[in-house]
Amino acid sequence: MEALKYLQKTLAFNSSRYRLWQENAAFAASVPKGALILDAGAGDAPYKGLFLHTRYESADFEKVDKPYAKSTYVCDLASIPVEDGRFDYIVFNQVMEHLPEPRRVLAELHRVLKVGGKMIYTGPLFYEEHEQPYDFYRYTQYGLRHLFETADFSIERLDWLEGYFGTVGYQLGSMSRYLPWRPSHLRYGVVGYALAPVMAVLKAGFAACSILFHRLEIRIKFEARGYPKNYLAILNKA
């Protein structure tokens, strides 16, 4: 099992995080120097370093038991304490699934964004429950389009964040972590002891294959079939 633990540790490499960084870096590069940015639902602000050339502000409700960077505004994203049209750009990453009332938040983000401003959105279609109990929804591309257009955003781009190889890498990694292998977890008696070594071999194989597919994702964004783990959108306020 030491080999399996090593493989699972290696799974810390995540092609979706690579794609998130890649897309946020491209968005940041399009932002002019000195523009005012809101990182909405910033958490530990992993992308703040991409916006050092801007005036960066952040907002978060800071209620989940996890590390947070110091927020400019500690608030509900449905009620951000700033004037209309304050921000030139908004960063909205991996947040909307945690909002019980996403329409209210999108309306608020539209309010605080300047006319002509842009927002980057990313969020999951396929992902396990996390940050419980603040995990409410998963969104298809059609659900996203409906929500964005209802909030009066125009959609410049709505795309898969990662290709299907990234999704497969995530699925295989989950199988490696969560499939039981102890006899007591499978079933007491002969059946449990017979299945345990089979499960251990499968888990190790899934871990190795997960690493392979995450690496493939970095080289090839395969979109011809399957489905993404996350969607990406670039939105405008007309």
Side-chain angles (χ1 to χ4, degrees), residues 87-136:
F87 299 103
D88 300 300
Y89 295 84
I90 295 176
V91 177
F92 189 43
N93 281 304
Q94 308 296 298
V95 176
M96 201 157 76
E97 71 271 23
H98 301 295
L99 304 175
E101 299 180 75
R103 289 189 182 193
R104 288 184 58 208
V105 172
L106 286 174
E108 180 70 348
L109 295 178
H110 187 273
R111 180 188 74 80
V112 303
L113 185 63
K114 288 181 179 177
V115 173
K118 290 191 176 187
M119 179 168 79
I120 183 172
Y121 160 89
T122 64
L125 168 69
F126 177 76
Y127 196 71
E128 65 186 289
E129 290 181 358
H130 59 294
E131 299 191 4
Q132 296 95 332
Y134 301 101
D135 192 3
F136 300 101

Side-chain angles (χ1 to χ4, degrees), residues 6-168:
Y6 173 79
L7 284 170
Q8 290 176 332
K9 185 176 181 180
T10 308
L11 288 176
F13 173 77
N14 183 327
S15 58
S16 293
R17 290 292 175 191
Y18 173 86
R19 294 291 185 204
L20 276 164
W21 186 268
Q22 187 181 51
E23 292 290 353
N24 277 275
F27 184 76
S30 74
V31 175
K33 183 177 180 180
L36 186 58
I37 302 294
L38 175 66
D39 194 341
D44 62 354
Y47 307 107
K48 182 177 180 179
L50 297 172
F51 294 93
L52 296 179
H53 62 295
T54 73
R55 293 176 293 146
Y56 174 93
E57 295 183 350
S58 61
D60 207 304
F61 76 160
E62 298 191 7
K63 291 184 179 180
V64 177
D65 183 17
K66 67 175 187 178
Y68 285 93
K70 183 176 175 58
S71 300
T72 311
Y73 310 101
V74 179
C75 63
D76 187 327
L77 291 183
S79 182
I80 304 169
V82 300
E83 70 276 14
D84 293 357
R86 175 175 175 78
F87 299 103
D88 300 300
Y89 295 84
I90 295 176
V91 177
F92 189 43
N93 281 304
Q94 308 296 298
V95 176
M96 201 157 76
E97 71 271 23
H98 301 295
L99 304 175
E101 299 180 75
R103 289 189 182 193
R104 288 184 58 208
V105 172
L106 286 174
E108 180 70 348
L109 295 178
H110 187 273
R111 180 188 74 80
V112 303
L113 185 63
K114 288 181 179 177
V115 173
K118 290 191 176 187
M119 179 168 79
I120 183 172
Y121 160 89
T122 64
L125 168 69
F126 177 76
Y127 196 71
E128 65 186 289
E129 290 181 358
H130 59 294
E131 299 191 4
Q132 296 95 332
Y134 301 101
D135 192 3
F136 300 101
Y137 306 108
R138 299 292 180 269
Y139 295 100
T140 68
Q141 61 180 305
Y142 308 104
L144 290 172
R145 187 175 296 277
H146 172 73
L147 286 169
F148 295 148
E149 290 178 347
T150 300
D152 290 330
F153 285 102
S154 62
I155 300 171
E156 178 179 317
R157 179 184 171 200
L158 179 55
D159 195 9
W160 294 22
L161 177 66
E162 61 282 286
Y164 189 51
F165 290 157
T167 307
V168 171

